[in-house]
Amino acid sequence: MDFMQAIENRHSVRDYTDKKIDKDIVLELQKEIDRCNDEGGLHIQLVTDEPEAFGGIMAHYGKFNNVKNYIALIGKKSPELEEKIGYYGEELALRAQQLGLNTCWVALTFSKGKSRCEIDKGEKLICVLSLGYGRTQGLPHKSKSLLDLCKAEGEMPDWFKRGMDAALLAPTATNQQKFLITLSGKRVSAKSTGGFYSKVDLGIVKKHFEVGAGTENFSWE
């Protein structure tokens, strides 16, 4: 499947089977993580066969079950870090979907202190992606209408509508969809309208919009 198909098929999954991730898939994911780290200047890490981070009461509260694999989304502290984590983290979530895995964005309902990852001086663990083979494929989230989340000068071109269709499918914290995408000519701006983890959400939304619209059709403002 291509990335647009992955966007359409991917839903948040919190309950996983005991099936281990195949070594070839682990290697493929690690290769993608290495690329994202190089391109984004991040320290994202893949952790497998480690149940402790999702073994406590917070994970139970978040309705997570049998999470033994996750991607720790880490980078150097900066004003841009959270948006970059959203952008590259969603790229990895979509790649995982292509590889037959399920994921869920997790910000609070796991134990950061028990996670098996390295956080160097000056770095921060923003959130993680749970990872594995879901007992189900999850369910689509409810969405606001397209016109609630964008503005355009004049008639919307087809590429912009495709971008918005993809953006509407982006996972956001508590499904709040607090963003606004604006079109002026071939310039597009995306901004947060508030809410928890809004900068992470913005990075996720921008990745989705790029996939739907095609980066050859516009430039970010």
Side-chain angles (χ1 to χ4, degrees), residues 38-99:
D38 288 342
E39 189 175 303
L42 299 169
H43 193 195
I44 298 170
Q45 297 160 47
L46 174 62
V47 180
T48 58
D49 299 318
E50 194 289 287
E52 294 299 318
F54 283 84
I57 192 168
M58 289 301 289
H60 177 74
Y61 175 78
K63 298 181 180 178
F64 284 93
N65 184 51
N66 212 29
V67 180
K68 298 178 182 178
N69 312 287
Y70 51 90
I71 297 172
L73 301 166
I74 301 166
K76 290 182 181 179
K77 295 175 184 177
S78 74
E80 301 81 27
L81 176 59
E82 291 185 21
E83 186 176 321
K84 285 205 295 185
I85 286 295
Y87 183 91
Y88 287 103
E90 185 63 6
E91 192 160 322
L92 293 170
L94 295 176
R95 184 68 184 118
Q97 187 73 30
Q98 288 179 322
L99 294 169

Side-chain angles (χ1 to χ4, degrees), residues 157-207:
D158 287 342
W159 62 262
F160 185 80
K161 291 177 183 176
R162 291 194 299 269
M164 284 306 304
D165 287 341
L168 290 174
L169 296 175
T172 56
T174 62
N175 195 30
Q176 56 191 344
Q177 290 188 301
K178 291 191 174 182
F179 63 88
L180 180 69
I181 296 179
T182 304
L183 173 67
S184 178
K186 286 204 168 186
R187 301 281 291 174
V188 176
S189 67
K191 69 175 184 178
S192 165
T193 55
F196 296 109
Y197 287 89
S198 58
K199 291 181 180 179
V200 175
D201 289 349
L202 191 61
I204 297 171
V205 167
K206 288 174 81 170
K207 182 64 203 179

Side-chain angles (χ1 to χ4, degrees), residues 96-145:
Q97 187 73 30
Q98 288 179 322
L99 294 169
L101 299 169
N102 302 104
T103 55
C104 185
W105 281 88
V106 192
L108 298 173
T109 48
F110 72 102
S111 302
K112 288 186 177 182
K114 294 181 179 180
S115 61
R116 197 177 69 206
C117 57
E118 296 179 4
I119 305 172
D120 294 337
K121 186 177 180 180
E123 292 184 340
K124 185 176 182 180
L125 170 61
I126 301 297
C127 47
V128 304
L129 283 168
S130 62
L131 184 71
Y133 298 98
R135 294 189 187 278
T136 72
Q137 293 301 303
L139 297 170
H141 64 251
K142 292 181 180 178
S143 179
K144 296 177 182 178
S145 73

